[in-house]
Amino acid sequence: MALKLYGSPMSTCTSRVLTCLHEKDLDFELVIVDLFAGEHKQPPFLAKNPFGQIPALEDDDLTLFESRAITSYVAERFKETGYDLIRHQNIKEAALVKVWAEVESQQFHPAIAPIIFQFLVAPLQGNLPDQTVIDTNLEKLGKVLDIYEAKLTSTKYLAGDFYSLADLHHLPYAYYLMKTPAASVVNERPHVKAWWEDISSRPAFKKVAEGMNFGEK
């Protein structure tokens, strides 16, 4: 039975999983969940994720939700297929991948998510972006990226000189950030900018980015 991913190509969390699936060269079926019609809050989808958030993944009799948990599962389940995203043959490198994947979820994400919300979601709700929220979180994001800048002076990627799940997890939100005036927070840090240009140019993500048109007219 093929993998089934329930979500939307424009969704950050869905695109995180899609990128992982493409990196692993896996066959899968994408089942579109219409967010604007509220399908994610209806019983058929709530049976897959009771929190009513996309994406969800079905692998035979297993159903998973939470995008980072899904990518970790896919990377481990198919560790011998496609690109090795978790460095499964080197326990120390694998540990560093986990560290920096945690940094993405605990440090990077809480700072960048409100910025993306204000620039892209608020206008769809009929509101103007709240510049105070943007500025407050840009300051937080800048401090996180200062640490990234220092780290990336010594290694090509966050966990070492190898691309991994830790880098991949950053792609969706950073992609949307780079479409906003806040892109300067990346562009003014040369090592972060070079890292972003590298990871966003990978074929797996370029394929996914074609569907990431949230907020476009």
Side-chain angles (χ1 to χ4, degrees), residues 5-20 30-36 40 45 49 52-56 66-68 70-71 109 116 120-121 124 168-176 205 207-216:
L5 180 66
Y6 296 81
S8 168
M10 71 176 69
S11 145
T12 50
C13 294
T14 303
S15 60
R16 182 178 290 124
V17 176
L18 284 170
T19 304
C20 180
L30 176 61
V31 181
I32 301 298
V33 178
D34 189 339
L35 300 178
F36 296 103
H40 56 308
F45 185 78
N49 181 358
Q53 296 174 318
I54 58 172
E66 294 295 342
S67 64
R68 295 170 184 83
I70 295 172
T71 60
H109 179 78
I116 301 305
L120 299 183
V121 181
L124 293 179
L168 184 155
H169 282 180
H170 290 77
L171 282 163
Y173 274 92
Y175 177 80
Y176 282 126
F205 181 67
K207 189 180 298 185
V208 174
E210 293 174 2
M212 295 180 67
N213 55 11
F214 189 80
E216 295 180 7

Side-chain angles (χ1 to χ4, degrees), residues 158-170:
L158 289 173
D161 289 322
F162 49 84
Y163 177 77
S164 74
L165 215 55
D167 307 291
L168 184 155
H169 282 180
H170 290 77

Side-chain angles (χ1 to χ4, degrees), residues 21 51 86 93 144 168 172 180 206:
L21 291 168
F51 294 99
I86 54 174
E93 290 178 349
V144 173
L168 184 155
T180 75
K206 288 176 74 173

Side-chain angles (χ1 to χ4, degrees), residues 149 186-195 197:
E149 180 71 12
V186 169
N187 291 330
E188 65 194 16
R189 293 169 171 82
H191 290 89
V192 173
K193 181 181 180 182
W195 167 74
E197 291 174 348

Side-chain angles (χ1 to χ4, degrees), residues 76-93:
E76 179 66 29
R77 164 95 158 77
F78 302 98
K79 60 188 176 186
E80 304 293 349
T81 304
Y83 184 88
D84 179 13
L85 292 165
I86 54 174
R87 307 298 285 185
H88 70 277
Q89 294 182 330
N90 185 315
I91 191 169
K92 291 184 178 180
E93 290 178 349

